[in-house]
Amino acid sequence: MLLRAAWRRAAVAVTAAPGPKPAAPTRGLRLRVGDHAPQSAVPADTAAAPEAGPVLRPLYMDVQATTPLDPRVLDAMLPYLINYYGNPHSRTHAYGWESEAAMERARQQVASLIGADPREIIFTSGATESNNIAIKGVARFYRLRKKHLITTQTEHKCVLDSCRSLEAEGFQVTYLPVQKSGIIDLKELEAAIQPDTSLVSVMTVNNEIGVKQPIAEIGRICSSRKVYFHTDAAQAVGKIPLDVNDMKIDLMSISGHKIYGPKGVGAIYIRRRPRVRVEALQSGGGQERGMRSGTVPTPLVVGLGAACEVAQQEMEYDHKRISKLSERLIQNIMKSLPDVVMNGDPEHHYPGCINLSFAYVEGESLLMALKDVALSSGSACTSASLEPSYVLRAIGTDEDLAHSSIRFGIGRFTTEEEVDYTVEKCIQHVKRLREMSPLWEMVQDGIDLKSIKWTQH
């Protein structure tokens, strides 16, 4: 409701403004009411220059990369950006006290969403830092007795790179393969645990294919073997129910901008009983119980807390609505296009993340054709690479299909009309690109491409 009201107010402001009225936005493109981009030097005769027209922007269907800020979160943040600007660690005056109170309220809001104690929440700059603290911090603290860690081949790049960094320090890391579904084999996990294993790190919801791992079962295995369990829950917190105690989770990474909060803030949950010890990665004033020194940015943590509170209130409604939109997108594409493969387990899956491979179509060509819809071919952190997704390769996807994959993200503010427009344009461009493909023509003639022996000249 607040978002719609804000758009109505903006639309009224544009309508009431003097001068020529902007044309109606093209279907599939969003009208940006005000353009606040930095301006270059203005020539002296600007009075005679014509007014700039409305700025058209693509539909946003990439919520795994980031989410728009919820207006309710912005409302909560604004007072701490303008009036209540005290350092929350200043204990001698009211400016510090009011910022500290806001910070502690945000800590309670984050803890409530995941069933934790507020004292177990440490604020960070985001899930990447939280993952680094969890993996490197635990490994280094227990290094004298335990030198082995376990993770999976489909983790986020920051987890894999943290593990490789530890390998250079002399640690041993087991990278568990995943099944065709994208889910790990629990028996393989049990077999991989050694007497000197300190940590198991498994992502809750995969950021590329949306697969949900059996977190509660993994937690029980780790607890029974006295091994700490960390999960990167950046794509899961606020979207599916999570309880750190029921699921036996010892450390959890959280990101603000994945749950309609601000960028530049996140949190890590670190269990107090039985206590998990971590070695701090940075030195400083000892803030956040010495685990993450540095002044806590009050406006950002207030935004994170508000985003968690809104998510807790609306999780059930959001999940039902996103599930319907997801089903609509998948069914309408697959009934109109042959040779489309959905990557990842369709049952154990978060519906807002849909990864489809369009055979005989180059994914980058399709993305360029769909210029009025903001989509991606995988993780934003690896989108500059021309290599096929390592997540898709890990689940056994052929390289050709991996190169043809597109990730569709459906979120809280995605509309039915946006889904229908995306489907319509996707079908149109896949058909056009296939008509241009000699491989598609050969398949239509009944030729088995795998039987062909290609030669290099």
Side-chain angles (χ1 to χ4, degrees), residues 69-87:
L69 191 71
D70 191 297
R72 290 163 287 191
V73 173
L74 179 61
D75 286 344
M77 292 174 65
L78 280 174
Y80 298 93
L81 289 164
I82 302 169
N83 296 322
Y84 304 108
Y85 47 79
N87 187 321

Side-chain angles (χ1 to χ4, degrees), residues 38-56:
Q39 300 296 316
S40 56
V42 180
D45 60 345
T46 49
E51 289 187 12
V55 180
L56 297 176

